[in-house]
């Protein structure tokens, strides 16, 4: 007797970040019907947002149309909308455009958002760097402050970066290089020593906490050489319109405050009726699905698996791929398998020809070799050939080209 084939499952993937696109790719190649939902019509390559914020790249360099991605797969459809309500018992989601989607399986990969850590004034007076809109807003404010200082409308353009993780180190190092190498040419009216500064505030006694001490020290020395003022072991008590106030009472004057400290799940996640863990993330099993609703999978930064993972691109990519495979296996009647993270290592760049790299086997690298590896890997993970070529050209022009052109990339 001939066995009837199972119908292809309909999977709704919410979020077009690293995890969502990775899951969609696996599902589409496995003949599932996928509806990819994201509030933006584009996917963003977040690791290079600091380059957009400092005018080294344009927005098109680090973004890619979601529909262009979906066009590679005949069974993928796209909806530009936000998840408004989840009806888990009915296997249905409502979108903010008034429509709803039924699903056989659901992948939640919306990512997280800025965590202001209940610091008074932080949300009102600091700028985050988590989305493309954040990067554009920060770039405009930085450019505005320089123009105001050059024309005498403001006394200075001092920047304070809160957070000594990879994002904070990268933005602080790049701003410091621009301050010393480019601003004297583009804004000669500004007295650098009196009217500008870059300060990095970190609550630990070192930057880049996940790294080995020798790499932390190397990154701190590289920042110091670039003129960054390091305030280590300092906790932020409040953020004012013109200052960052530390718990010891110190006021750091700030014309631009960048918040690069902590992320948390969006507030609307609490309305989904799913179990939440640290930072509001959704608790999942070892297979990355929700225990009460096994047809719901969570991937990327939004997931809180039994064993915590770093909130980086690699875990998100691997989780998305695993979720896609698990859904195809479940649809075929097979058992789910636990997710195993293969750690390729971590890296961060401080500026031109300076980066730190730490592999899972303990091997470390710093300086120019690590910087070249950092550039190669970031370019490799971009979604299109056009983006890769554009980013490579912009890297070359920013770090090798004339100093006066280092901040001339428009939107």
């Amino acid at each position: 007797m001939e066995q009837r084939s199972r119908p292809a499952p309909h999977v709704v993937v919410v979020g077009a970040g690293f995890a969502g696109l990775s899951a969609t790719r696996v599902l589409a190649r496995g003949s599932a019907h996928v509806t990819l939902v994201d509030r933006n019509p584009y996917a963003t390559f977040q690791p290079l947002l600091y380059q957009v914020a400092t005018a080294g790249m344009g927005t098109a360099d680090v973004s890619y149309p979601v529909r262009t991605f979906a066009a590679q797969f005949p069974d993928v459809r796209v909806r530009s909308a936000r998840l408004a309500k989840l009806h888990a018992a009915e296997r249905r989601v409502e979108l903010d455009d008034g429509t709803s989607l039924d699903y056989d399986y659901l992948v939640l990969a919306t990512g997280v958002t800025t965590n202001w850590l209940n610091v008074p004034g932080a949300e009102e007076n600091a700028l985050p760097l988590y989305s493309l809109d954040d990067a554009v807003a920060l770039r405009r404010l930085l450019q505005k402050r320089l123009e105001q200082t050059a024309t005498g409308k403001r006394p200075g353009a001092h920047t304070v970066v809160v957070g000594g993780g990879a994002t904070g180190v990268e933005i602080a190092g790049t701003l410091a290089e621009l301050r010393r190498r480019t601003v004297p040419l583009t804004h000669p009216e500004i007295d650098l020593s009196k009217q500008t500064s870059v300060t990095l505030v970190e609550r630990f006694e070192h930057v880049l906490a996940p790294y080995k001490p020798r790499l932390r020290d190397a990154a701190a020395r590289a920042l110091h050489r670039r003129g960054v003022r390091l305030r280590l072991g300092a906790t932020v008590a409040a953020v004012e319109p013109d200052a960052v106030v530390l718990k010891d009472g110190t006021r750091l004057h700030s014309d631009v405050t960048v918040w690069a400290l902590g992320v948390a799940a969006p507030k609307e996640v609490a309305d989904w009726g799913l179990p939440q863990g640290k930072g509001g993330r959704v608790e999942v099993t070892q297979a990355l699905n929700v225990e009460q609703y096994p047809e719901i999978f969570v991937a990327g930064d939004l997931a809180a698996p039994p064993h915590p993972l770093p909130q980086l691109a690699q875990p998100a990519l691997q989780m998305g791929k695993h979720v896609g495979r698990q859904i195809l296996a479940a649809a075929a009647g097979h058992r789910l398998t636990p997710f195993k993270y293969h750690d390729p290592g971590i890296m961060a760049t401080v500026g031109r020809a300076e980066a730190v790299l730490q592999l899972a086997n303990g091997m470390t690298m710093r300086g120019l070799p690590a910087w070249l590896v950092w550039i190669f890997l970031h370019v490799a993970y971009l979604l299109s050939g056009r983006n890769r070529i554009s980013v490579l050209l912009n890297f070359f022009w920013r770090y090798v080209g004339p100093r006066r052109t280092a901040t001339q990339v428009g939107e």
Side-chain angles (χ1 to χ4, degrees):
M1 183 176 179
E2 185 178 350
Q3 187 177 8
R4 298 177 61 183
S5 60
R6 297 173 183 265
H10 176 226
V11 185
V12 173
V13 178
V14 184
F18 288 116
L21 295 184
S22 180
T24 298
R25 187 179 289 110
V26 172
L27 290 165
R29 291 172 177 170
S31 301
H33 298 295
V34 182
T35 302
L36 179 58
V37 180
D38 196 276
R39 60 179 180 173
N40 297 313
Y42 54 83
T44 303
F45 191 76
Q46 289 180 311
L48 292 178
L49 283 178
Y50 81 96
Q51 287 282 343
V52 177
T54 55
M57 294 180 186
T59 55
D61 297 325
V62 300
S63 61
Y64 189 74
V66 176
R67 288 191 176 274
T68 302
F69 168 83
Q72 305 173 72
F73 311 105
D75 290 325
V76 176
R77 299 292 180 267
V78 172
R79 297 289 293 274
S80 293
R82 187 193 297 265
L83 176 61
K85 188 174 294 186
L86 169 60
H87 301 275
E90 304 171 23
R91 297 195 179 190
R92 180 170 60 90
V93 292
E94 288 185 28
L95 307 180
D96 64 354
D97 62 3
T99 63
S100 63
L101 294 169
D102 297 319
Y103 61 83
D104 297 307
Y105 297 92
L106 174 65
V107 178
L108 296 172
T110 58
V112 289
T113 189
T114 306
N115 187 352
W116 302 104
L117 300 174
N118 296 318
V119 174
E123 187 171 3
E124 296 81 8
N125 301 311
L127 292 179
L129 190 56
Y130 193 76
S131 69
L132 200 57
D133 289 341
D134 294 339
V136 172
L138 177 55
R139 180 172 67 193
R140 286 175 175 166
L141 183 59
L142 288 167
Q143 292 174 336
K144 181 180 179 181
R145 292 291 184 259
L146 286 174
E147 289 300 317
Q148 290 174 329
T149 303
T151 57
K153 296 179 181 178
R154 291 186 71 89
H158 301 275
T159 303
V160 175
V161 179
V162 180
T167 299
V169 166
E170 288 169 353
I171 189 72
T174 305
L175 287 173
E177 287 184 338
L178 290 176
R179 171 180 173 266
R180 297 182 66 183
R181 301 182 71 247
T182 306
V183 172
L185 298 176
T186 58
H187 299 77
E189 306 91 341
I190 297 178
D191 185 333
L192 292 186
S193 62
K194 296 180 180 179
Q195 295 182 289
T196 68
S197 65
V198 178
T199 303
L200 178 66
V201 179
E202 167 57 44
R203 64 189 178 95
F204 293 120
E205 295 291 342
H206 46 258
V207 297
L208 300 177
Y211 292 73
K212 291 187 175 182
R214 61 177 174 270
L215 294 183
R216 297 174 189 164
D217 294 341
R221 289 194 301 269
L223 288 170
H224 183 72
R225 286 196 304 271
R226 285 161 172 77
V228 177
R229 301 173 180 176
L230 296 177
R231 295 299 301 257
L232 304 178
T235 302
V236 176
V239 179
E240 299 176 354
D242 61 348
V244 172
V245 183
L246 306 182
K247 281 200 172 178
D248 63 4
T250 302
R251 290 183 82 257
L252 303 174
H253 177 74
S254 178
D255 298 287
V256 178
T257 302
V258 183
W259 192 263
L261 182 65
V263 292
K267 294 179 181 179
E268 58 265 24
V269 175
D271 299 328
W272 295 352
L274 303 178
Q276 292 181 268
K278 184 178 179 180
R281 299 175 182 87
V282 179
E283 293 182 341
V284 294
T285 68
Q286 291 185 349
L288 301 183
N289 62 338
V290 179
E291 187 172 5
Q292 297 92 323
Y293 303 102
E295 69 282 355
I296 298 179
F297 290 78
V298 188
D301 291 345
L302 186 63
H307 304 289
L309 295 170
Q311 291 179 298
L312 303 170
Q314 266 300 318
L317 288 166
Q318 294 183 31
M319 292 169 80
K321 185 180 293 187
H322 181 82
V323 162
R325 290 172 176 170
Q326 296 311 296
I327 290 175
L328 294 175
H334 303 308
R335 294 181 61 182
L336 303 183
T337 58
F339 171 69
K340 294 181 180 179
Y341 175 53
H342 302 284
D343 186 2
I346 51 179
M347 61 177 62
T349 179
V350 182
R352 183 175 63 167
E354 188 67 59
V356 292
L357 167 64
Q358 179 175 303
L359 300 179
N361 62 7
M363 176 183 173
T364 62
M365 186 186 302
R366 60 170 294 271
L368 178 61
W371 187 66
L372 294 175
V373 172
W374 182 91
I375 291 177
F376 172 79
L377 289 177
H378 280 70
V379 170
Y381 280 112
L382 289 165
L383 284 173
S384 76
R386 184 195 67 80
N387 289 77
R388 296 186 188 101
I389 293 172
S390 177
V391 166
L392 274 176
L393 286 174
N394 284 326
F395 267 127
F396 175 83
W397 203 249
R398 161 162 267 189
Y399 293 114
V400 182
R403 286 189 295 166
R404 64 181 179 277
T405 64
T407 60
Q408 297 306 308
V409 174
E411 293 183 31

